[in-house]
Amino acid sequence: MATVDLKDVRKIYAGGVEAVKGVSIAIPDKALCVLVGPSGCGKSTLLRMIAGLETISAGTCSIDGKVVNSIGPTERDIAMVFQNYALYPHMKVYDNMAYGLRNRGMPKDEVDKRVRGTAQTLELEHLLERRPRELSGGQRQRVAMGRAIVRNPKVFLFDEPLSNLDAKLRGQMRVEIKSLQRKLGVTSVYVTHDQLEAMTLADVLVVMNAGLVEQLGAPLDIYEKPASTFVASFIGAPPMNLLPLRGGQLEDAITLPTVTGNATTIGFRPEDCEVGADGATSSDGLRLMANVEGVEPVGAESFLYCAAGGGKIVVRVAGRTEVQVGDQLPIFARREKLHFFGSDGKRV
Amino acid sequence: MSPRVVFPNKILPYLLVAPQLAITLVFFYWPASQALRQSMLREDPFGLSSKFVWFDNFKKVLSDPNYLNSIQVTAIFSISVAAVAMGTALLLAVMAEKVVRSRGLYRTLMIWPYAVAPAIAGMLWLFLFNPSIGSLAYGLRWLGINWDPLLDGEQAMALVVAAASWKQISYNFLFFVAGLQAIPKTLIEAAAIDGAGENKRFWTIVFPLLAPTTFFLLVVNTVYAFFDTFGIIHAVTGGGPGKATETLVYKVYNDGFVNLILGDSAAQSVILMVIVIALTAVQFRYVEKKVHYG
């Protein structure tokens, strides 16, 4: 049970490269904080600094109110799940899980009780006598989880733990991690580049870009009010449609509501588009003609890839669609579903 | 498994392996069979005739106290060389991992001794530790050690062990560095997070994962100590003082080419061959079981 506080944390490597450029995040007790961003945005570096695997160049990191900058990973009382699981290949699953407990001098019967208890929670009991190489990817992932939770640490750190699993297993484990984290009530920091994982897992979502925090907040708040074009195009799949405004006007627009401020970009989500003349009753919104260039039916929904308004947009329609490549469609987005961004990419 | 290659021609495959087989036959089986034949022959004192004596040479050799001494010397020498060479190399490799600046230069310097020929290495050590002119011998005496490997058998043994190990350290170092680099960094990090200090991490994670390398080097070093150290012993002590550093290989040479007792010498080399085959078999059979690959 602990809070994690980062205050203006920076990481400057020996060559002068600044990987993390002053990040402040306060993670409340028992919360799951997800750091999401493209590769190279500094999210993993930040996680490794919390773990104590990287030194902190400037700023402070505190766990449970105590500054841990100068404390090594051994004494921080954290547990980490690595992307490649980092299971000890020469130890059985049991010993993998018991290793951290034994290192802390726990009596043998207590170790046994804890390991077996955790194995039961994660349904690993039948695997305890096996070695990591005899396990499937999903099983290894569970063992890595088990090794983390058996210690009952103050903080869990996850470094893209699901990226080596296939899509189906990933979805399953995502749900499981969430419920496990809730049940155990351990403060967690989770790094991913997958926006779906980020959206579904996070209590606190931190979108990072180029070593800086782009936006921090509840996942749905971020989804509904992205602070910048970067966040808008990163969160949501497919990403938000962004079209350029020239002098407050949009190319090919039939109707365009009053542009907020001096916005240079207008955005709307693929799922907020209405196709055809149905939306005509509401005149307060964006209406434009789109040329369909591609149709992707995925079953429950279909995506239309169109050229419109001097750019490319994606339109999501429910179920099957009769639309063909080459069709011309009127697209409508309601006023309240439109987003405006200034020339610096920030929301206006 | 790759699929079996099927040659349409019946003779071609045999022709293709023939050069390899010929080389093996001419340079290994033929000399080996000659040694085996020679080991059962005994020559008259003038070398004019020889007669077939079955296993008499072996009986004679195995009941010779000098030969039994040589076995003991070889055992002490081989175990010491393997232990010193591997232990030092591992220590240096672990230290080299921690070097932040000019790691490459450090590694390159560590590898140089391997390029020195055994006899030259022996001479270097001989000069350094020569009781009358050696600079390091002077240092040892200054420390109060009565240094005289020309008379003291144990000191002579220490000297050849040091010289032989010194040459092999570079080789072992290379393999240990490669072995250490093959261990994923995240394992070490995971162990650190799991509360293991540096020493503990080494003995519980790094060392067990190095086992395949260590095992391989154990085989190579044993064979090295048995066979490839002749030049060093010849240059440094010549097997002496007395027979204190006369290893099996050195005795084969001494009896065969210096004393010209060809039958005895051949019998000894056959025994030596059997010992090394047995040793390697034992190492692979028993030690490898405790080694975890991957």
Side-chain angles (χ1 to χ4, degrees):
Chain A
M1 314 306 110
T3 57
V4 175
D5 269 298
L6 301 174
K7 286 209 179 75
D8 198 29
V9 168
R10 287 163 196 273
K11 178 72 194 182
I12 302 156
Y13 283 108
V17 179
E18 201 170 2
V20 177
K21 302 170 183 169
V23 168
S24 301
I25 305 170
I27 305 168
D29 189 20
K30 296 181 188 174
L32 201 167
C33 168
V34 175
L35 306 177
V36 68
S39 50
C41 72
K43 57 191 192 296
S44 279
T45 311
L46 194 61
L47 187 80
R48 291 170 59 81
M49 284 196 280
I50 300 173
L53 299 172
E54 298 273 357
T55 54
I56 298 169
S57 308
T60 59
C61 168
S62 8
I63 295 173
D64 208 7
K66 199 173 120 202
V67 175
V68 293
N69 281 31
S70 56
I71 299 177
T74 312
E75 280 90 40
R76 286 197 188 183
D77 197 12
I78 46 155
M80 186 155 165
V81 178
F82 291 84
Q83 183 174 2
N84 61 2
Y85 316 136
L87 299 177
Y88 312 125
H90 58 298
M91 294 185 195
K92 289 174 181 160
V93 169
Y94 183 96
D95 298 308
N96 259 286
M97 289 168 73
Y99 185 72
L101 302 176
R102 288 179 186 148
N103 283 338
R104 286 178 167 77
M106 188 179 277
K108 216 173 174 180
D109 48 340
E110 175 72 15
V111 170
D112 192 64
K113 213 174 84 189
R114 289 271 280 272
V115 171
R116 291 195 188 280
T118 307
Q120 200 172 9
T121 319
L122 289 171
E123 292 159 31
L124 288 171
E125 289 152 300
H126 60 295
L127 302 175
L128 284 176
E129 293 305 311
R130 296 215 199 151
R131 284 186 207 286
R133 66 159 176 266
E134 298 161 330
L135 305 178
S136 69
Q139 289 169 330
R140 285 179 205 189
Q141 216 284 330
R142 297 180 88 84
V143 175
M145 292 278 297
R147 189 173 68 179
I149 64 179
V150 74
R151 292 225 333 264
N152 196 15
K154 278 186 193 154
V155 180
F156 283 148
L157 304 176
F158 298 91
D159 189 4
E160 310 210 10
L162 304 183
S163 54
N164 285 352
L165 299 180
D166 61 62
K168 191 180 165 203
L169 209 51
R170 202 181 306 160
Q172 207 177 315
M173 282 309 289
R174 199 170 63 215
V175 176
E176 211 163 314
I177 287 179
K178 181 78 181 170
S179 71
L180 208 59
Q181 195 268 342
R182 281 261 165 77
K183 197 171 81 187
L184 298 168
V186 175
T187 315
S188 305
V189 185
Y190 188 108
V191 162
T192 181
H193 60 259
D194 182 306
Q195 64 87 28
L196 180 66
E197 262 174 48
M199 288 298 290
T200 49
L201 283 173
D203 295 319
V204 181
L205 181 57
V206 180
V207 185
M208 287 187 69
N209 183 28
L212 286 167
V213 172
E214 280 279 332
Q215 193 171 3
L216 185 155
L220 284 175
D221 290 350
I222 291 180
Y223 175 82
E224 273 159 15
K225 280 197 163 57
S228 64
T229 49
F230 174 82
V231 179
S233 59
F234 197 83
I235 298 295
M240 184 183 283
N241 298 310
L242 297 170
L243 293 173
L245 292 171
R246 289 195 185 83
Q249 293 302 311
L250 178 65
E251 217 177 288
D252 301 336
I254 300 162
T255 62
L256 180 69
T258 337
V259 172
T260 322
N262 47 1
T264 56
T265 306
I266 183 169
F268 52 95
R269 297 223 171 255
E271 50 273 39
D272 293 335
C273 297
E274 291 163 43
V275 180
D278 304 356
T281 46
S282 171
S283 58
D284 192 19
L286 170 70
R287 192 187 307 278
L288 76 170
M289 288 306 286
N291 287 315
V292 180
E293 292 183 332
V295 180
E296 251 184 19
V298 280
E301 58 199 10
S302 303
F303 296 107
L304 312 177
Y305 293 85
C306 315
K312 303 277 181 195
I313 64 169
V314 185
V315 176
R316 178 181 170 275
V317 289
R320 289 158 186 259
T321 177
E322 301 300 317
V323 176
Q324 302 276 322
V325 173
D327 285 359
Q328 279 229 329
L329 296 174
I331 304 288
F332 179 73
R334 288 171 195 282
R335 173 70 186 87
E336 63 271 22
K337 299 290 187 188
L338 296 177
H339 308 260
F340 294 97
F341 302 96
S343 54
D344 56 351
K346 300 282 177 230
R347 184 182 192 86
V348 290
Chain B
M1 291 295 266
S2 54
R4 269 177 76 113
V5 177
V6 181
F7 287 94
N9 192 320
K10 286 255 185 285
I11 308 161
L12 182 65
Y14 295 101
L15 278 176
L16 289 175
V17 292
Q20 176 69 53
L21 282 177
I23 288 171
T24 316
L25 283 173
V26 171
F27 290 101
F28 181 72
Y29 287 101
W30 187 63
S33 64
Q34 283 296 305
L36 210 59
R37 198 178 76 89
Q38 186 80 59
S39 70
M40 296 180 192
L41 294 178
R42 186 170 290 168
E43 306 208 341
D44 71 294
F46 302 101
L48 297 174
S49 65
S50 56
K51 65 173 180 188
F52 201 72
V53 293
W54 285 105
F55 294 102
D56 278 6
N57 285 336
F58 288 93
K59 279 182 202 152
K60 188 180 155 212
V61 163
L62 288 172
S63 58
D64 179 2
N66 279 336
Y67 189 73
L68 299 178
N69 170 64
S70 182
I71 290 179
Q72 199 191 343
V73 166
T74 308
I76 294 170
F77 177 75
S78 303
I79 292 168
S80 309
V81 167
V84 172
M86 287 170 69
T88 315
L90 180 55
L91 186 72
L92 289 171
V94 171
M95 308 278 254
E97 279 286 284
K98 289 189 189 148
V99 174
V100 182
R101 270 162 198 263
S102 53
R103 187 185 296 182
L105 179 74
Y106 187 75
R107 278 186 194 150
T108 311
L109 290 177
M110 288 297 307
I111 292 157
W112 277 1
Y114 195 57
V116 179
I120 308 288
M123 289 313 287
L124 285 174
W125 283 78
L126 186 64
F127 281 136
L128 287 172
F129 287 95
N130 183 299
S132 45
I133 59 164
S135 48
L136 292 178
Y138 180 80
L140 284 174
R141 262 204 301 282
W142 185 76
L143 285 171
I145 297 164
N146 186 16
W147 179 253
D148 192 359
L150 295 182
L151 291 176
D152 187 323
E154 283 177 19
Q155 289 185 355
M157 176 60 98
L159 189 56
V160 285
V161 166
S165 308
W166 176 77
K167 247 197 74 56
Q168 192 64 7
I169 284 171
S170 305
Y171 181 86
N172 295 349
F173 173 80
L174 264 185
F175 278 88
F176 276 130
V177 164
L180 285 173
Q181 281 177 343
I183 297 175
K185 284 276 162 297
T186 47
L187 285 185
I188 313 291
E189 291 173 351
I193 288 174
D194 263 343
E198 200 170 339
N199 254 324
K200 184 121 194 185
R201 285 203 293 273
F202 179 79
W203 290 114
T204 55
I205 308 292
V206 177
F207 191 69
L209 292 177
L210 268 182
T213 309
T214 313
F215 169 67
F216 164 75
L217 287 178
L218 186 67
V219 176
V220 169
N221 279 269
T222 313
V223 173
Y224 164 79
F226 262 79
F227 290 110
D228 293 348
T229 48
F230 173 82
I232 287 171
I233 293 175
H234 191 55
V236 177
T237 64
K243 297 200 176 298
T245 55
E246 192 179 60
T247 57
L248 290 171
V249 169
Y250 199 79
K251 193 166 164 54
V252 168
Y253 163 80
N254 233 5
D255 287 354
F257 297 98
V258 178
N259 302 333
L260 292 172
I261 317 170
L262 291 182
D264 282 15
S265 175
Q268 287 177 32
S269 50
V270 169
I271 296 171
L272 197 55
M273 190 163 73
V274 171
I275 291 177
V276 170
I277 289 172
L279 216 57
T280 313
V282 166
Q283 280 173 334
F284 271 100
R285 179 89 176 71
Y286 294 102
V287 185
E288 202 182 24
K289 271 192 183 168
K290 296 195 183 298
V291 174
H292 311 290
Y293 292 100

